[in-house]
Amino acid sequence: MHFLSEELENYVAFHSQVEPELLAKLNRETHQKILQPRMLSGHFQGRVLSILSKIISPKNILEVGTYTGYATLCLAEGLAENGTIDTIDNNEELVDFQRKYFDQSTWKNQIVQHLGNALEIIPTLNKKFDLVFIDADKENYINYFQMIVPMMIKGGIILSDNVLWSGKILGEVKPNDKSTKILLEYNKLVNEDERVETVLLPIRDGLTVTRVK
């Protein structure tokens, strides 16, 4: 579902910061070689992630769902000096693809890859996070959120992707559609949880910005 016309989307992208050359290359190769390239954050959303990270200047970033590493590199652009980004994915086949691009970046020594179940890995990370990006299996969004909030610094930001779910959150939910059901619960939770304050931005497939009080 397109929430804006293609013409408006093109205008928005054209009047936003240019996609860096390394990310453009990653974008092209993802579309050429990797299944479900729609999962890529892409130019416009990538620039949104980049500028939010630069505003925050985080020391520690957590990303749940690496895919091919596009968003990882966008978030890394705002890292504080000596900061790190821990990124988690369970797809072993993408690890080398991600690393190839990470190693070409300025932040190659600051990006820590984790392979496996995020719900098992997150509790082992002995850090307080300034910035978190959740973009993994929708059925665990609530579990990720509940696990991550206590690990955030005061004023830390949690970004959650795909919260509009191609507009499915507005329609009748099919009995077997667990992802949409969980996203509806998640959107309600992050808006009502007294530990945080939230705004839902209609960017691409929906991006929630949640600030921990």
Side-chain angles (χ1 to χ4, degrees), residues 43-111:
H43 171 202
F44 175 62
Q45 184 171 328
R47 292 304 86 204
V48 172
L49 297 178
S50 169
I51 204 163
L52 287 174
S53 185
K54 288 171 180 173
I55 291 168
I56 297 164
S57 191
K59 181 178 179 182
N60 294 313
I61 301 174
L62 171 63
E63 179 184 37
V64 186
T66 315
Y67 188 48
T68 56
Y70 189 100
T72 318
L73 291 170
C74 294
L75 293 166
E77 292 177 29
L79 273 172
E81 188 176 358
N82 300 320
T84 59
I85 175 166
D86 290 274
T87 183
I88 306 170
D89 205 281
N90 62 3
N91 190 339
E92 186 175 359
E93 294 180 359
L94 292 177
V95 171
D96 291 341
F97 186 100
Q98 299 159 5
R99 195 73 246 174
K100 178 176 71 172
Y101 282 95
F102 294 163
D103 285 346
Q104 295 178 59
S105 77
T106 305
W107 311 279
K108 62 182 180 181
N109 296 321
Q110 296 169 271
I111 299 173

Side-chain angles (χ1 to χ4, degrees), residues 119-165:
L119 293 175
E120 296 174 359
I121 293 170
I122 292 169
T124 70
L125 303 175
N126 188 25
K127 296 180 181 180
K128 284 287 188 177
F129 293 100
D130 313 74
L131 177 60
V132 173
F133 183 42
I134 302 175
D135 187 18
D137 54 315
K138 312 312 165 194
E139 295 180 10
N140 273 311
Y141 265 39
I142 293 173
N143 294 328
Y144 295 139
F145 178 80
Q146 298 291 15
M147 185 174 286
I148 287 167
V149 168
M151 301 175 71
M152 300 295 294
I153 65 164
K154 181 179 175 64
I157 299 295
I158 301 171
L159 305 173
S160 310
D161 199 14
N162 304 118
V163 291
L164 294 180
W165 207 223

Side-chain angles (χ1 to χ4, degrees), residues 27-42 67-68 204:
N27 196 336
R28 286 193 300 272
E29 189 172 358
T30 297
H31 279 81
Q32 290 167 354
K33 299 180 179 179
I34 308 297
L35 293 174
Q36 298 179 299
R38 185 177 179 275
M39 291 171 60
L40 193 84
S41 289
Y67 188 48
T68 56
R204 199 160 171 259

